[in-house]
Amino acid sequence: MKNVIKFVAIALVAVSVSSCATVFGGPITDYQRTRPAAGEPQREIRVGALVADLLLFWPGAVIDFATGAIYKPHPSATAANK
């Protein structure tokens, strides 16, 4: 029984920290959250975070896409913060 509890605890920790862009990507902007309208350019994906999600724990990619954290922030927003 102890081994089952340890396994479940480790699995829960792995799931909670596995979405790399959500955890390490910084604050999520409105640009990342909203879908582009028809005719607008598509948002760029953070390739490094996507690869890390797929290698470490693929459901983390689902979380990152759902939160919008997998997308790069708007270029003008990053230039304004510097």
Side-chain angles (χ1 to χ4, degrees), residues 66-81:
T67 61
I70 198 77
Y71 301 107
K72 292 181 180 179
H74 195 275
S76 63
T78 56
N81 291 337

Side-chain angles (χ1 to χ4, degrees), residues 24-78:
F24 300 112
I28 300 170
T29 63
D30 287 335
Y31 174 79
Q32 292 169 290
R33 283 190 191 108
T34 57
R35 286 184 162 181
E40 290 183 358
Q42 297 295 312
R43 298 169 288 181
E44 292 184 41
I45 293 178
R46 296 178 182 183
V47 178
L50 179 62
V51 169
D53 282 341
L54 295 176
L55 291 177
L56 295 176
F57 189 69
W58 67 266
V62 174
I63 295 168
D64 285 343
F65 276 104
T67 61
I70 198 77
Y71 301 107
K72 292 181 180 179
H74 195 275
S76 63
T78 56

